Amino acid sequence: MSHATWTCHCGSVAANVPVTGKRIVCYCKSCRAFVEQFGETDRLDPAGGSELIQVAPDKVSFTKGTEHLRWMKLTEKGPMRWYAACCGTPMANTLPTRAVAFASFQVHDIAPKDTLPAVSARVHLKGALERVEEPLGSVWPLMGALIGRSVESWVTGGWKRNPFFDSAGKPIATREDPRPSTG
Ligand SMILES: [Zn+2]
Ligand SMILES: [Zn+2]
């Protein structure tokens, strides 16, 4: 398994991320709001899309700095959104359960990028700020990949090695939602 490395801006948090995954651009408002929390709008494409790579969590390993991790929710039904609190770097989305093999990392802080797959889908186009000239793919192959990863993790027991959760299934970091803006 070959990996790339996700690193926060200050270098305190690092994770090995598998280079086998689905690389996408998501135009939903929540993904955009997540990076806006950190003033990171320069990583969005002109239509407001976030570049993400969806990988199997059991192939992710944190190599340092997990004490700096926090997670937030922008809506109660939405995913857990993980970030490095040391320097305010948005990192990844997961679901609140280990049963579904889903971790979606921000591509922006992954290196090297030339080992990553090409973008295979642009999703949630209705949330785009402007017309996306090159629609690509759909959510269905992503759902298929998600189911495939989940089934594999159930068969191999890999779901228990999800590094975002401890052996009891509790998140390894505390929840810290964005503070209400003071305008
Ligand atoms: Zn940092
Ligand atoms: Zn999204």
Side-chain angles (χ1 to χ4, degrees):
M1 168 70 59
S2 93
H3 286 91
T5 304
W6 181 93
T7 315
C8 70
H9 296 322
C10 78
S12 298
V13 185
N16 287 328
V17 179
V19 298
T20 50
K22 292 283 186 186
R23 184 175 177 179
I24 65 155
V25 183
C26 185
Y27 293 92
C28 84
K29 287 195 181 88
S30 296
C31 283
R32 190 155 58 244
F34 180 47
V35 303
E36 284 171 350
Q37 295 294 327
F38 302 97
E40 297 269 334
T41 50
D42 59 338
R43 69 176 57 199
L44 299 172
D45 78 9
S50 299
E51 211 175 305
L52 300 163
I53 182 164
Q54 300 180 346
V55 300
D58 62 315
K59 310 278 192 329
V60 173
S61 55
F62 291 114
T63 52
K64 60 175 170 172
T66 51
E67 69 274 21
H68 300 295
L69 290 177
R70 300 288 183 276
W71 58 276
M72 67 167 74
K73 280 194 169 192
L74 296 172
T75 60
E76 277 313 306
K77 283 187 178 167
M80 298 168 77
R81 295 181 181 271
W82 296 73
Y83 61 97
C86 40
C87 54
T89 309
M91 180 179 69
N93 310 328
T94 70
L95 296 176
T97 168
R98 294 184 292 173
V100 183
F102 181 84
S104 184
F105 271 80
Q106 296 276 328
V107 169
H108 185 267
D109 300 296
I110 293 177
K113 287 190 177 49
D114 55 6
T115 57
L116 301 179
V119 172
S120 68
R122 300 178 189 278
V123 301
H124 299 298
L125 298 179
K126 281 186 184 144
L129 298 174
E130 58 183 56
R131 213 178 108 79
V132 175
E133 293 303 331
E134 293 174 72
L136 177 70
S138 75
V139 297
W140 300 113
L142 306 177
M143 293 301 292
L146 174 64
I147 292 165
R149 286 195 304 270
S150 296
V151 170
E152 186 184 331
S153 78
W154 301 333
V155 171
T156 63
W159 65 274
K160 285 182 246 173
R161 294 189 300 271
N162 186 326
F164 292 92
F165 299 91
D166 66 17
S167 57
K170 295 239 170 15
I172 61 161
T174 53
R175 177 173 180 171
E176 223 167 89
D177 286 332
R179 288 175 199 86
S181 155
T182 51

